[in-house]
Amino acid sequence: MTLPAGVPTQQFFGGSWRDGSGGSFDVLDPSTGAAICSVPRAGADDVTAAVSAAADALPGWAAAPPRERGEVLRRAFESMIARTDELAYLMSLEMGKSLTDARGEVAYAAEFFRWFSEEAVRVGGELRHAPSGANRILTFRKPVGVCLLLTPWNFPAAMATRKIAPALAAGCTFLLKPAEDTPLTALLLADILTEAGAPAGTVNVLTTDRPGELVDAALADPRVRKLSFTGSTGVGRVLLKQAADRIVNVSMELGGNDPFLVLDDADLDAAVEGAMLAKMRNGGQACTAANRFLVHESIADAFAAKLAERMGALRLGPGTAEDTQIGPMINQRAVDGIADKVTRSIDAGAKAVLGGEPVEGAGFFFPPTVLTNVPRESAVAVEEVFGPVAPIIPVKDDQDALAIANASEMGLTGYVFTRDLARGLRVSEQLEVGMVGLNRGLVSDPAAPFGGVKQSGLGREGSTEGIDEYLETTYVATNW
């Protein structure tokens, strides 16, 4: 596949498109493994220049009227919606997701621009009376400063806009480093924001296949005051240690090992429908993807049969093909990792009733896979799979399911299916996660606070809480 005309292939900082001082690297089409194009590899000089541009633009942008900042985001929202097909095709090309999933992501991603265009004008402070009555306490909010935004490859538009929108709404400027597998969507977003009126230096996007070097240089710069990262828990731990050296403000949305509980009174068809959405959205390559299906033993076989039938009917193919329902994985490393976990689990006693082995030929494909009788300590039961694999673990009762669900060090998302609302709420409250889908296979919403507990992250994105991550509170003591 060829790159559509008009998609930028240079990095963007200081209001200009530029090559990289560190050479270039190829962006691959995961459907074929072939190169789509080359993009710049940012060097240390580029990082310094981009941070300088962001720091220079910060005072003016922070002082801009909130409505002005909001209108830039509003225009960016409108542009994204108008260019849905272009953005969807680009994401399908560089990431591999189906066009259906990609169009859904464009709508979701654009909504962060609209949501935070409205939140920009709602940032305020407070005037309180001191308890003694002798004076008043005045507080106001101001932008945290220059932000370093690090985004993953699985949702190249939404994970970027979920950080960009509140940062700009709050009056911050930023340096965005997209994942090396999917830099093109981020570059196109920079183009959209510039056309929407974002001043030079507010938006800066650097590309690299050597992320450690770029992040090291950026975090060492005292002008960078905020780090927001979405990615694996392992990388998050490293970044937290780095950020601690300068006490940089940090937000982390990390890994998940999300349980999907099907209680004995669940509507089986509704549970399967929810499972298809929770598991197969984005080919299972999502931190919110259902990873462990904890199904009451009385209905586990029936659930497995229905789920295998639905997953087995999905059309596998290139993401850019209109009839594709599940595209490739992001790269060969991902395929190998999924295959390894599945093989180890089968060796431990699980049974593959659907799929189980990589697809031969060009591209990075792994077929929809359903495993039954999965041992509770097997690889797919305790490790995040990040692919189209559904491990089904029979459980005795609600408490048995909760014990397995909460045994993980991760705590991002959980799903509960039951006909009894009160029962479902009780189980939801006992799940050690940041988000729960109750009789629903989708939790993501720009108006909802997205984030996890335990080792799944720090802070929340989206909703009214999302802009708080980019604001500091100043207190003024008065004699009034």
Side-chain angles (χ1 to χ4, degrees):
M1 295 289 180
T2 58
L3 187 66
V7 175
T9 56
Q10 292 177 294
Q11 52 192 359
F12 184 77
F13 56 91
S16 300
W17 296 100
R18 313 182 189 217
D19 292 328
S21 61
S24 63
F25 65 98
D26 290 338
V27 181
L28 304 183
D29 176 356
S31 295
T32 63
I36 301 169
C37 66
S38 295
V39 295
R41 178 183 298 120
D45 292 344
D46 299 323
V47 177
T48 299
V51 173
S52 294
D56 290 345
L58 179 63
W61 184 244
R67 180 67 72 192
E68 181 181 317
R69 298 199 298 263
E71 286 304 299
V72 170
L73 294 173
R74 176 71 188 193
R75 289 190 292 269
F77 160 76
E78 293 169 350
S79 180
M80 285 188 72
I81 296 302
R83 300 170 71 171
T84 291
D85 288 343
E86 178 186 1
L87 280 160
Y89 181 86
L90 181 60
M91 281 192 286
S92 294
L93 180 62
E94 69 170 342
M95 186 266 155
K97 67 179 64 193
S98 71
L99 284 170
T100 298
D101 276 349
R103 292 185 186 110
E105 182 179 344
V106 174
Y108 175 52
E111 195 63 34
F112 284 107
F113 282 155
R114 177 159 67 170
W115 176 267
F116 285 106
S117 74
E118 296 162 346
E119 289 298 301
V121 300
R122 298 192 176 101
V123 175
E126 290 186 340
L127 181 65
R128 317 173 195 171
H129 282 277
S132 67
N135 62 290
R136 290 170 176 80
I137 296 169
L138 174 66
T139 66
F140 61 90
R141 314 294 300 281
K142 60 185 180 183
V144 66
V146 175
C147 304
L148 174 62
L149 311 179
L150 309 178
T151 56
W153 50 263
N154 55 338
F155 290 93
M159 298 303 95
T161 61
R162 197 163 73 185
K163 299 180 189 301
I164 290 170
L168 291 179
C172 297
T173 58
F174 68 85
L175 165 56
L176 169 67
K177 185 208 75 65
E180 63 190 78
D181 294 296
T182 56
L184 300 173
T185 301
L187 294 172
L188 188 54
L189 287 175
D191 191 45
I192 287 171
L193 283 162
T194 301
E195 290 181 357
T202 56
V203 175
N204 305 278
V205 180
L206 297 187
T207 55
T208 184
D209 58 347
R210 298 174 183 172
E213 296 176 10
L214 186 153
V215 173
D216 289 349
L219 286 181
D221 194 312
R223 295 171 296 180
V224 173
R225 297 304 312 148
K226 170 76 183 184
L227 167 64
S228 180
F229 169 71
T230 298
S232 73
T233 298
V235 174
R237 290 192 190 101
V238 173
L239 292 173
L240 280 167
K241 292 176 182 177
Q242 287 182 265
D245 288 339
R246 288 203 306 103
I247 320 297
V248 172
N249 183 312
V250 172
S251 300
M252 294 270 164
E253 194 267 286
L254 306 177
N257 188 10
D258 306 327
F260 189 103
L261 282 62
V262 184
L263 309 187
D264 56 359
D265 67 341
D267 180 326
L268 205 56
D269 290 333
V272 170
E273 193 66 35
M276 288 297 294
L277 185 56
K279 175 75 266 182
M280 298 310 296
R281 178 175 175 236
N282 216 41
Q285 299 177 107
C287 56
T288 56
N291 201 62
R292 300 169 288 154
F293 289 84
L294 309 177
V295 186
H296 192 272
E297 58 191 9
S298 66
I299 56 174
D301 289 343
F303 177 84
K306 286 177 174 286
L307 185 60
E309 182 180 5
R310 289 289 303 278
M311 288 175 61
L314 295 175
R315 290 187 295 274
L316 193 68
T320 52
E322 197 67 54
D323 62 349
T324 290
Q325 293 173 297
I326 174 172
M329 302 296 96
I330 187 62
N331 52 39
Q332 188 59 48
R333 184 172 65 255
V335 173
D336 293 342
I338 296 167
D340 174 65
K341 294 180 181 70
V342 170
T343 298
R344 284 190 283 132
S345 299
I346 292 174
D347 290 344
K351 178 183 178 182
V353 296
L354 177 70
E357 297 181 354
V359 176
E360 295 184 1
F364 312 126
F365 291 91
F366 198 94
T369 295
V370 176
L371 304 178
T372 58
N373 300 316
V374 174
R376 298 184 179 195
E377 300 303 321
S378 61
V380 294
V382 298
E383 302 174 29
E384 187 177 20
V385 177
F386 229 71
V389 178
I392 298 174
I393 303 171
V395 296
K396 297 177 181 177
D397 53 32
D398 297 2
Q399 292 307 309
D400 188 27
L402 283 165
I404 299 171
N406 292 338
S408 173
E409 64 183 11
M410 306 300 178
L412 188 61
T413 312
Y415 302 89
V416 179
F417 278 77
T418 174
R419 296 177 192 267
D420 185 335
L421 178 60
R423 183 184 184 188
L425 289 172
R426 285 195 301 272
V427 171
S428 297
E429 287 183 352
Q430 293 178 73
L431 280 172
E432 296 174 359
V433 296
M435 302 174 286
V436 179
L438 179 54
N439 292 323
R440 181 178 171 85
L442 180 66
V443 297
S444 299
D445 190 312
F450 190 104
V453 301
K454 299 195 285 189
Q455 294 192 29
S456 284
L458 302 167
R460 293 295 182 269
E461 294 186 305
S463 188
T464 55
E465 293 94 332
I467 200 168
D468 292 340
E469 302 289 335
Y470 298 89
L471 293 166
E472 299 279 18
T473 298
T474 295
Y475 151 56
V476 178
T478 75
N479 289 324
W480 172 41

